[in-house]
Amino acid sequence: MAKKTYDLLFKLLLIGDSGVGKTCVLFRFSDDAFNTTFISTIGIDFKIKTVELQGKKIKLQIWDTAGQERFHTITTSYYRGAMGIMLVYDITNAKSFENISKWLRNIDEHANEDVERMLLGNKCDMEDKRVVPKAKGEQIAREHAIRFFETSAKANINIEKAFLTLAEDILRKTPVKEPNSENVDISSGSGVTGWKSRCC
């Protein structure tokens, strides 16, 4: 059997309007590359990157969704298993910011209750074209009690920091299972001491 090369697997999801730079954010993090040609994501795509946090190897499976409405039904099914969701808007596009509330509703409707959420204001290198003030992003993040970063895939600003912060937040909530310790898998019902019977 092949040895597992990681301790934990975290599934992350990138959502937001079409054209806000989700794919660029993902490529910058996974491949440290930036592509200026815009190709709209069709349906769904994903990348894998393994990071080390607190002595654990964590495999990040990052799903990049299509922002267009016509792919909406495909992408909502991917919310289910997501442990972390990054909601991306474009600081040069007011509409993408206005749609944040719609995307947050989607998370509430389709994702697990305890999913870690994060808001990214992307393209912060384009200060001259900015239409969404940073304070507005901070405010909406505060209202929904989620973390917020302004990022630039092009200039590589806060990309890695955002992903690692999200992974750390998930890790903090993940119960630690120590291999080869006295822990017993309770779900199997075997070898549990101190329990007379398993009722119900």
Side-chain angles (χ1 to χ4, degrees), residues 131-145:
V131 292
V132 182
K134 188 175 184 180
K136 274 188 138 178
E138 289 168 340
Q139 183 190 349
I140 202 162
R142 259 198 316 275
E143 285 167 11
H144 294 274

Side-chain angles (χ1 to χ4, degrees), residues 77-124:
S77 57
Y78 285 87
Y79 283 69
R80 270 283 157 256
M83 299 158 87
I85 296 181
M86 283 182 164
L87 172 46
V88 187
Y89 70 91
D90 172 355
I91 68 154
T92 70
N93 178 337
K95 186 92 182 94
S96 72
F97 183 77
E98 287 156 23
N99 284 336
I100 286 171
S101 51
K102 179 193 82 171
W103 289 106
L104 285 167
R105 268 199 309 280
N106 281 348
I107 295 173
D108 291 341
E109 281 169 32
H110 303 291
N112 297 334
E113 251 173 72
D114 63 343
V115 70
E116 280 296 331
R117 300 171 303 165
M118 178 179 277
L119 182 63
L120 298 185
N122 195 34
K123 307 190 186 178
C124 71

Side-chain angles (χ1 to χ4, degrees), residues 29-43:
F29 178 64
S30 65
D31 302 359
D32 196 18
F34 180 77
N35 192 341
T36 50
T37 51
F38 171 65
I39 301 163
S40 194
T41 303
I42 307 290

